[in-house]
Amino acid sequence: GAFLVQWRVPKVIPIQAMPSPVLPESCVPEGERIFLDQPSGWMNRQVYRCPEGLLGQAVGISYPVPNPTISTVIRVEFLSGERFARSLDPLEESWRLPEANVGAVDAWLRDARTATVTGVRHVLGGWPHIAFLLALILLGGAAGSIRLVSAFAVGQLAAVVVTAILGRAFETAAAEICVAVAVVFLARETLRSQPDRRRIDGLAAGAGLFHGLALAALLPAAPDATGVAWPGLLVLVLGMDAAMLALALFVSGVGALAAQRWRTAWLRPALSYVIGVTAVAAAFGLAFVSPVVEATVAASPNLPGPAGATSASGLPVSRRLAPPTLDAPIQSYLAVEPFEVRNEILVRVGDVASEVDLEVSRDGYIEIDTQSEVARQIGELVVTRSAVEIDGELADGIIDRVGFTTADATGVLPRQTPVREALDEALVGVTLVYLAEGMPDAVTLSWNEFSNATPSIPATVIDPEASISSVLTAGQPAIRWENDLMENPVVAVTGVAVEPARLPLPMISLALFAAAVVLIVSGLRDRRRSASFAGARIALALALIVGPLARVAIALPASLGSAPSESSARRILASVLPNVYRAFEFRDEAVAYDRLAVAVTGETLTDIYLQHRRSLEMEERGGARALVDAVEVLEVGAIELRDDGGFDADASWTVGGTVTHFGHRHFRQNRYDTRVAVVRVDGNWKIRSIEVLEQERIR
């Protein structure tokens, strides 16, 4: 139940606007929060204790001021080896992790625990409920309060039936007002002598009826037109009933002990008046005081944020990582990534015209038929003038791409169709690739020749987490990058083991259920019936509360003969699919094939490799390939069991990735609707085939 939460914030965000993680309500911080000022950003670390775990729960990021167009990548790693990732756009604050592969029994126990705890909290969280309970205790002591609490529960159960039939819930405020009014009448009855008291059972049941009509609003999912989840309401009533019974018995016991030591005759009327007056005040407050509306803060135009471009949907498609220096004769952008270092160089042709064999027309244009030769010469020029050292060794550069380009707010774009280039405006982009083993520890970029035409060269080094910029000159011709990344961007590709379905047995809950059965049987035999039934209800509520906590899981070998559930199939694909895309990060195709074979069977290895590799290339960026940040399985349906123990299913997922290209980071997200076949091979899940039914570029 302990989670180490780390969140790194770029320094364009001031400390005063530092965001915080969004975690489930059950998570509480443990120990001191650690704050580190690192070159690549603000680093925060905090341990949280989450007794209900994170699977099936919402996690995210929250800003104290409006989010200044910053995207967030969330990674969740469990000690079991399961990993999940999600890229949140600035307009998104949270994301719900896939549910745990718990099965129907465990899922019911978890939902029942949530409803029971909600009922207990509801009783303890409002003064009308406490006042109501105190009035019941004053009316009947221990035995009488059990009877009246039972009447209240009967009223609520009747309301559950009404709510389930009508398919809708009523306003919570109206129900609380009814309870407060009932408290006033009950407080008046406490001032009467025992023979003169009237209608107290009816008052308790009526209060329960009106209060129960609004209970559906307390459940995690509000009711809709399809009806109310009445089983959850029944458990909710059980939680409230058990809390009220336990409190009534405890307070009655304390009152009885106090009466034996002190004279407390004056206390009853005093408490009755206090309860009645405060109940009237509560009723008026609920009826006439307007609910507090949370204020929203308008976006601040002064809050700094990275420049970039957005799509028609408002989602960011690119972000500038380097200062704009389009007037510089030569600009250098060094991208440090796993297995590869790229030096992307933008050259203004007119500024280096004297250093290459250049033919220009009389009107100052570079003709189309000479452009390929001009680009080749400029490529060779930058190769001879620049050098890259990786981990102390001089690396050999390969000219990956070279050609005439254009530049705008979204970055550098290669010319798709050649045109006559004006000499004063012509730009040539050169991409030099240096292969590396894994993620380098240190990289140095140097330029060894400067001239009057190029007295300085703006240079930016960009890694997966940050960027640094400098201006290189003859006196300071080099810029050095050192690996101080907080996370290793080289991801592991590991097999996804086939695990048998397991039946969870809640041992403590079973003991409490047994105790409840014994008490019910004892009550049916007329042995202190009211007390026995009250104890059984408390035991049942406790059994549901502790149900998910102490369990012994028993493997079910018969699961081999049944198709996986929707949640199980989604979790299997969520574990296997990232391995497919991680394999493409390896630049050596032989190594990439080996890694891909961990997740894909041999007969379709080549087809899947080529298909998905092409989908990650950005043609508009000269074929640059995106590094995958997140794979999210959205839906899985139409699951059919295969003879070999695998399954076929309709599945939809999104793949989000980034490309660092000439000082900009571009975002790509695709959605795939597919028919996928998953098989068991040597105890691991693998993909046998993927038939893409529809592919959509989201951004």
Side-chain angles (χ1 to χ4, degrees):
F3 294 85
L4 173 61
V5 182
Q6 301 182 125
W7 63 104
R8 185 186 63 82
V9 183
K11 289 193 172 180
V12 295
I13 301 295
I15 294 181
Q16 298 85 346
M18 184 74 65
S20 300
V22 173
L23 297 171
E25 291 184 0
S26 61
C27 296
V28 294
E30 189 173 87
E32 295 288 334
R33 171 184 165 187
I34 299 175
F35 175 78
L36 301 173
D37 183 356
Q38 296 186 339
S40 56
W42 314 114
M43 180 65 179
N44 302 267
R45 288 194 183 103
Q46 176 70 63
V47 174
Y48 285 85
R49 180 71 60 175
C50 303
E52 298 181 0
L54 293 183
L55 288 172
Q57 306 286 331
V59 297
I61 196 77
S62 175
Y63 285 79
V65 296
N67 181 356
T69 70
I70 297 292
S71 297
T72 302
V73 173
I74 297 180
R75 296 184 182 92
V76 182
E77 299 183 1
F78 293 94
L79 296 182
S80 62
E82 291 179 291
R83 297 179 177 87
F84 301 94
R86 167 76 173 183
S87 179
L88 295 184
D89 296 310
L91 301 179
E92 296 180 284
E93 287 191 353
S94 63
W95 162 62
R96 187 174 297 277
L97 271 71
E99 294 182 0
N101 185 18
V102 295
V105 175
D106 208 356
W108 186 88
L109 284 174
R110 191 172 57 184
D111 293 341
R113 178 182 188 272
T114 300
T116 307
V117 172
T118 300
V120 173
R121 288 177 176 172
H122 186 66
V123 168
L124 301 178
W127 167 248
H129 307 103
I130 302 298
F132 179 79
L133 184 60
L134 291 175
L136 298 185
I137 295 171
L138 291 176
L139 283 168
S145 59
I146 290 177
R147 186 184 79 253
L148 294 174
V149 169
S150 299
F152 183 80
V154 170
Q156 294 207 104
L157 291 175
V160 169
V161 175
V162 174
T163 306
I165 294 174
L166 296 179
R168 61 183 297 269
F170 294 89
E171 292 293 332
T172 303
E176 299 298 323
I177 291 173
C178 291
V179 173
V181 172
V183 170
V184 175
F185 285 106
L186 289 172
R188 186 188 66 174
E189 295 300 320
T190 63
L191 298 174
R192 300 179 187 270
S193 61
Q194 186 75 26
D196 297 331
R197 291 175 183 169
R198 298 169 295 176
R199 304 182 303 275
I200 57 175
D201 289 346
L203 280 172
L209 176 64
F210 286 105
H211 185 264
L213 292 175
L215 284 182
L218 301 178
L219 293 179
D224 54 26
T226 62
V228 175
W230 60 269
L233 292 179
L234 291 177
V235 178
L236 188 68
V237 170
L238 175 63
M240 298 183 64
D241 180 53
M244 296 182 73
L245 285 172
L247 283 175
L249 293 174
F250 174 76
V251 176
S252 298
V254 172
L257 292 175
Q260 294 177 3
R261 294 195 174 188
W262 301 287
R263 298 179 62 183
T264 58
W266 60 272
L267 189 58
R268 177 183 294 271
L271 279 177
S272 299
Y273 281 111
V274 169
I275 291 171
V277 171
T278 54
V280 171
F284 275 97
L286 291 167
F288 298 108
V289 176
S290 300
V292 177
V293 179
E294 184 177 353
T296 56
V297 183
S300 172
N302 299 322
L303 190 63
T310 58
S311 65
S313 62
L315 302 179
V317 295
S318 67
R319 181 186 304 155
R320 188 174 64 237
L321 303 177
T325 53
L326 290 179
D327 294 335
I330 296 178
Q331 303 163 66
S332 183
Y333 306 96
L334 194 73
V336 183
E337 296 176 351
F339 310 106
E340 179 180 279
V341 176
R342 291 192 312 278
N343 188 11
E344 297 168 325
I345 304 150
L346 194 62
V347 180
R348 294 180 64 88
V349 179
D351 294 318
V352 298
S354 61
E355 303 179 51
V356 296
D357 185 9
L358 182 64
E359 295 183 10
V360 182
S361 65
R362 292 182 179 180
D363 55 354
Y365 281 84
I366 305 172
E367 301 296 342
I368 294 176
D369 57 355
T370 65
Q371 289 177 9
S372 60
E373 176 62 21
V374 172
R376 185 191 65 80
Q377 293 184 45
I378 291 178
E380 293 179 351
L381 177 69
V382 298
V383 166
T384 59
R385 290 191 177 184
S386 63
V388 171
E389 289 185 4
I390 300 177
D391 295 335
E393 296 185 3
L394 188 63
D396 294 328
I398 304 169
I399 298 181
D400 185 54
R401 293 182 294 273
V402 59
F404 282 82
T405 64
T406 62
D408 59 19
T410 65
V412 174
L413 295 169
R415 289 281 192 198
Q416 300 296 324
T417 303
V419 298
R420 297 178 72 221
E421 299 281 354
L423 178 63
D424 295 337
E425 300 176 359
L427 297 172
V428 168
V430 182
T431 300
L432 303 178
V433 173
Y434 305 84
L435 299 181
E437 295 183 4
M439 192 69 187
D441 292 323
V443 178
T444 301
L445 167 66
S446 59
W447 286 79
N448 53 31
E449 187 174 337
F450 296 86
S451 63
N452 292 332
T454 56
S456 61
I457 297 175
T460 299
V461 181
I462 303 168
D463 63 33
E465 296 181 354
S467 63
I468 55 174
S469 298
S470 180
V471 177
L472 307 183
T473 62
Q476 186 179 348
I479 183 172
R480 179 177 174 82
W481 172 89
E482 293 185 355
N483 189 343
D484 62 351
L485 301 176
M486 286 169 286
E487 291 185 5
N488 184 3
V490 180
V491 293
V493 178
T494 57
V496 179
V498 177
E499 296 183 359
R502 298 179 181 273
L503 175 65
L505 296 179
M507 305 306 294
I508 299 178
S509 294
L510 290 177
L512 289 169
F513 281 132
V517 171
V518 171
L519 288 170
I520 291 174
V521 172
S522 176
L524 292 175
R525 292 181 176 178
D526 202 19
R527 296 179 182 175
R528 304 183 65 182
R529 177 172 297 179
S530 297
S532 296
F533 286 167
R537 283 137 61 187
I538 295 174
L540 285 174
L542 287 175
L544 295 178
I545 290 174
V546 303
L549 302 182
R551 297 167 297 176
V552 175
I554 300 177
L556 300 178
S559 63
L560 295 175
S562 61
S565 65
E566 179 182 342
S567 60
S568 297
R570 187 169 67 246
R571 283 168 53 82
I572 291 170
L573 287 175
S575 300
V576 176
L577 283 172
N579 283 338
V580 175
Y581 294 98
R582 288 175 186 142
F584 302 134
E585 295 188 8
F586 297 89
R587 296 310 185 214
D588 187 326
E589 290 200 355
V591 177
Y593 268 100
D594 290 342
R595 298 299 187 273
L596 191 61
V598 173
V600 180
T601 57
E603 55 265 31
T604 56
L605 189 61
T606 301
D607 292 341
I608 291 179
Y609 178 82
L610 295 176
Q611 180 183 20
H612 287 77
R613 185 157 186 158
R614 282 194 298 267
S615 70
L616 295 174
E617 294 177 352
M618 292 188 178
E619 295 181 3
E620 73 275 15
R621 303 292 166 185
R625 192 185 315 147
L627 294 177
V628 173
D629 294 322
V631 180
E632 182 183 4
V633 179
L634 304 176
E635 298 176 358
V636 178
I639 303 171
E640 297 179 2
L641 183 67
R642 298 174 60 92
D643 294 337
D644 55 9
F647 63 91
D648 297 341
D650 294 336
S652 300
W653 65 79
T654 59
V655 180
T658 58
V659 165
T660 301
H661 188 251
F662 284 91
H664 280 69
R665 182 154 287 159
H666 305 278
F667 304 93
R668 166 66 59 84
Q669 188 176 38
N670 293 336
R671 176 188 170 112
Y672 299 91
D673 295 326
T674 70
R675 184 66 179 174
V676 60
V678 181
V679 296
R680 302 168 184 248
V681 179
D682 299 329
N684 289 324
W685 291 112
K686 290 190 178 184
I687 293 176
R688 182 174 183 177
S689 64
I690 298 177
E691 179 187 359
V692 178
L693 305 176
E694 186 175 351
Q695 178 177 339
E696 177 188 4
R697 177 175 173 178
I698 299 175
R699 60 168 173 161

